[in-house]
Amino acid sequence: MFNRYYATGIIKQHLTFAIQVLRGFTLSLALLCVFGAFAQEKNQQLTFCVDPDWMPFEGVINGQHTGIASDYLEIFKQLTPYSFTIKPSPSWHQTIEQLQSNACDLTLMLNRTTEREKFLSFSMPYFFGPNVLVSKPNIPFMQGLPAIGDMTLGVVSGYRLLEEIPRNYPEMKLKIMDSEAQGLKAVEQGEIDVYAGSLYSINLTINQLELETLKINGWISLQDQLRIGFTKANAHLIPAFNQAIDQITSKQHNTILNKWTNVKIVKQTDNTLLYYLTASAAIIFFIFLWRSLVNMKVFAALHDKNQELEKIKEELTKANKNLEYRSFHDNLTNLYNRHYFMSTVKDHFNNVLRHQCISAIMMIDLDFFKKINDEHGHNVGDKVLQQFSTVLSQVLRAGDIAARWGGEEFIVLLPKTTKVDSIALAQRLVKAVDETAFELNIHLTISVGVSQSTANDDIASWIERADTALYQAKNEGRNCIKAFAV
């Protein structure tokens, strides 16, 4: 009896020990898998294609990647678990072909276009820059592309402008250039009248090639919004890089911009001929005096030229800020315009999906607005639109984004807002409008439609639900609020 109980105890002890060993082995194996997966992701290599000749944005000099994109690449190396290998190419056109054939995983700096979206997916924009027009001094200042008229405009092959300009201005006379340097030289030699491109790269190229007969003679509304372009097979990397872009500070952006765009014209006078003069002392003295006077004039001219370029740069900076404001805002109401709203909604919608939060959209229509225009004229109607925009801005919270959708319709993005809260805000707006005395004591009412974002949603259906709710409010007598029931 004693031996049987003793043997049973021994067996239990051995079984308990075996189970503990097995659990420890399983835990160790799991940890090895986790650390192995992390190490594999940390060491994952991404191959990037470059534009070899687009300074200061990007270039390859002596086999080394350089320019604005190279500085941002160093930041991405710190903020993401990836390492990067360059895939060189002799031209931007061949870089595009590499991306289309999946010869590389991404390219660091380009604009999003309809054509490129066929084979690339894009991060959020992280660098913005103006596009300008260059001509000879005899051409008057041009306020945008329509001022070009029947003149010939040069654009580099493969650049975004070559896709956007023909779509918006189909009658424009275009001449395709292989490079920016070729386009600027063509203007100087009279082969074309005007060249269009990025302010920063044009400024650098003019200085490098000493094209002193050219001037920056206007700007265009097609602003560069540069992003990372991923091949479709690598679209899953976008959230990680968008998160990295969100972490880049304003100080880092400004440091990179100042580093690569602060360009000056610098020349040196060659005095070597003086060492070969063998004339008499008197002749040498007069030659030296003559050369000194020439140098003074040259340096004075260079000083004036640098000051002129600085003044142009300041004017273009101010103009670019004004242009940026106008390109994002409605001229009449000073609210955001439809184009900016859609761009903002796309970025916000990505955050909604990524963080699984909710937001709401509110669409607003001014009731019987056509009657106001018909009875009092369009000037009064415009003033009513402006007054309503002021009331709307006063009611909205910090972080809400309002835009003029078209005519008398307005749209508002309400981040992190439930349907209940958005209805409450809409009620405050309806009350504020009802209590406002508009131009000529016109009593104004509004109809409002509200929709909340849902899981597995998309932007088009989200906005369409708000629009459907708005028309339900109008069909049920106006001056009311309707929320789309999901």
Side-chain angles (χ1 to χ4, degrees), residues 109 180 196 245 251 256 270 304-305 332 363 368 385 405 451:
M109 187 163 272
E180 191 150 79
I245 291 170
K251 182 179 179 181
I256 294 174
D270 185 3
D304 293 341
K305 190 69 174 178
L332 178 63
M363 295 199 73
F368 303 110
L385 288 172
W405 192 245
S451 74

Side-chain angles (χ1 to χ4, degrees), residues 199-482:
L199 167 65
Y200 302 132
S201 59
I202 284 175
N203 187 37
L204 178 63
T205 304
I206 288 177
N207 286 320
Q208 289 177 335
L209 300 179
E210 299 183 357
L211 303 176
E212 298 181 4
T213 62
L214 301 183
K215 72 172 182 177
I216 297 174
N217 198 21
W219 59 87
I220 58 181
S221 60
L222 299 173
Q223 184 188 44
D224 286 327
Q225 299 184 26
L226 301 177
R227 312 163 184 260
I228 307 173
F230 298 87
T231 57
K232 294 295 185 180
N234 292 285
H236 63 280
L237 300 174
I238 292 176
F241 280 85
N242 278 346
Q243 185 176 4
I245 291 170
D246 281 334
Q247 296 179 49
I248 300 175
T249 65
S250 298
K251 182 179 179 181
Q252 288 175 306
H253 284 299
N254 292 333
T255 299
I256 294 174
L257 179 63
N258 292 332
K259 173 182 175 181
W260 291 101
T261 60
N262 189 19
V263 180
K264 299 265 186 188
I265 298 177
V266 178
K267 292 184 181 178
Q268 296 180 351
T269 304
D270 185 3
N271 293 318
T272 57
L273 290 177
L274 291 175
Y275 299 109
Y276 298 98
L277 295 177
T278 57
S280 63
I283 296 175
I284 292 175
F285 173 77
F286 284 114
I287 291 177
F288 178 77
L289 180 61
W290 174 76
R291 292 297 298 271
S292 297
L293 292 174
V294 170
N295 286 342
M296 291 176 61
K297 291 182 179 179
V298 169
F299 282 114
L302 286 175
H303 178 72
D304 293 341
K305 190 69 174 178
N306 278 334
Q307 285 190 328
E308 181 182 349
L309 284 176
E310 285 296 328
K311 183 178 180 181
I312 291 174
K313 185 177 179 180
E314 290 177 4
E315 291 175 352
L316 283 173
T317 300
K318 293 179 181 179
N320 183 54
K321 289 181 179 179
N322 181 56
L323 175 63
E324 181 178 3
Y325 181 86
R326 290 185 177 276
S327 65
F328 292 157
H329 290 78
D330 175 61
N331 290 333
L332 178 63
T333 63
N334 284 325
L335 296 176
Y336 288 115
N337 58 28
R338 184 169 183 163
H339 171 75
Y340 177 82
F341 182 85
M342 289 302 299
S343 176
T344 302
V345 166
K346 287 180 180 178
D347 292 337
H348 178 76
F349 192 72
N350 290 333
N351 289 329
V352 169
L353 295 179
R354 184 163 61 247
H355 300 297
Q356 297 183 347
C357 57
I358 58 172
S359 293
I361 284 180
M362 181 169 64
M363 295 199 73
I364 308 159
D365 183 81
L366 276 58
D367 296 334
F368 303 110
F369 183 75
K370 184 178 182 300
K371 183 178 179 182
I372 295 175
N373 280 335
D374 292 342
E375 293 183 358
H376 303 287
H378 288 278
N379 287 336
V380 173
D382 288 347
K383 290 182 180 179
V384 170
L385 288 172
Q386 291 171 336
Q387 290 174 306
F388 170 76
S389 300
T390 300
V391 174
L392 175 61
S393 299
Q394 292 171 346
V395 171
L396 294 181
R397 309 159 304 178
D400 296 339
I401 298 174
R404 187 181 180 189
W405 192 245
E408 67 270 21
E409 283 192 345
F410 297 80
I411 189 167
V412 183
L413 173 63
L414 304 173
K416 299 180 181 179
T417 304
T418 64
K419 182 172 73 174
V420 173
D421 290 338
S422 60
I423 291 174
L425 190 147
Q427 290 171 341
R428 292 197 299 272
L429 177 61
V430 169
K431 181 180 179 182
V433 170
D434 184 65
E435 294 174 351
T436 300
F438 288 87
E439 186 74 9
L440 300 181
N441 288 321
I442 292 172
H443 180 256
L444 183 68
T445 62
I446 58 173
S447 300
V448 183
V450 174
S451 74
Q452 180 181 298
S453 62
T454 63
N456 301 320
D457 210 343
D458 60 70
I459 296 172
S461 61
W462 188 14
I463 295 176
E464 184 178 354
R465 293 198 304 274
D467 192 49
T468 300
L470 171 63
Y471 277 93
Q472 183 182 357
K474 293 169 65 176
N475 290 334
E476 294 186 11
R478 295 180 171 84
N479 192 23
C480 62
I481 303 164
K482 292 295 177 181

Side-chain angles (χ1 to χ4, degrees), residues 62-197:
N62 296 326
Q64 297 295 317
H65 184 224
T66 186
I68 293 171
S70 68
D71 283 359
Y72 278 106
L73 179 61
E74 293 303 316
I75 296 176
F76 294 137
K77 288 179 181 178
Q78 299 172 12
L79 298 179
T80 67
Y82 306 106
S83 56
F84 300 83
T85 303
I86 189 171
K87 174 85 172 173
S89 65
S91 68
W92 175 243
H93 180 73
Q94 290 181 320
T95 296
I96 292 294
E97 291 179 350
Q98 288 179 343
L99 291 165
Q100 290 174 323
S101 63
N102 294 310
C104 51
D105 300 312
L106 58 93
T107 187
L108 289 165
M109 187 163 272
L110 79 170
N111 285 288
R112 179 171 63 189
T113 69
T114 302
E115 187 64 29
R116 291 171 182 171
E117 285 182 329
K118 295 178 181 178
F119 57 92
L120 293 176
S121 298
F122 294 88
S123 72
M124 66 175 63
Y126 65 91
F127 190 90
F128 298 85
N131 283 296
V132 296
L133 302 172
V134 179
S135 70
K136 287 189 174 181
N138 61 318
I139 296 179
F141 183 79
M142 293 175 287
Q143 295 184 355
L145 288 168
I148 295 176
D150 60 355
M151 292 187 287
T152 302
L153 175 67
V155 184
V156 174
S157 174
Y159 281 11
R160 189 261 306 220
L161 293 178
L162 193 57
E163 182 178 338
E164 297 286 347
I165 293 176
R167 180 164 59 243
N168 295 310
Y169 304 94
E171 304 299 325
M172 187 77 67
K173 295 180 182 177
L174 295 178
K175 187 168 183 179
I176 301 175
M177 298 292 161
D178 293 330
S179 67
E180 191 150 79
Q182 182 192 25
L184 293 172
K185 288 179 181 178
V187 176
E188 185 181 53
Q189 296 168 5
E191 297 174 6
I192 60 175
D193 302 298
V194 187
Y195 174 80

Side-chain angles (χ1 to χ4, degrees), residues 26-85:
T26 303
L27 178 60
S28 299
L29 182 61
L31 289 174
L32 285 173
C33 291
V34 170
F35 286 119
F38 177 78
Q40 182 180 8
E41 182 181 15
K42 181 66 179 176
N43 295 323
Q44 182 176 346
Q45 290 278 342
L46 296 178
T47 303
F48 66 97
C49 297
V50 300
D51 187 336
D53 186 23
W54 193 36
M55 293 297 290
F57 294 101
E58 186 173 54
V60 177
I61 299 176
N62 296 326
Q64 297 295 317
H65 184 224
T66 186
I68 293 171
S70 68
D71 283 359
Y72 278 106
L73 179 61
E74 293 303 316
I75 296 176
F76 294 137
K77 288 179 181 178
Q78 299 172 12
L79 298 179
T80 67
Y82 306 106
S83 56
F84 300 83
T85 303

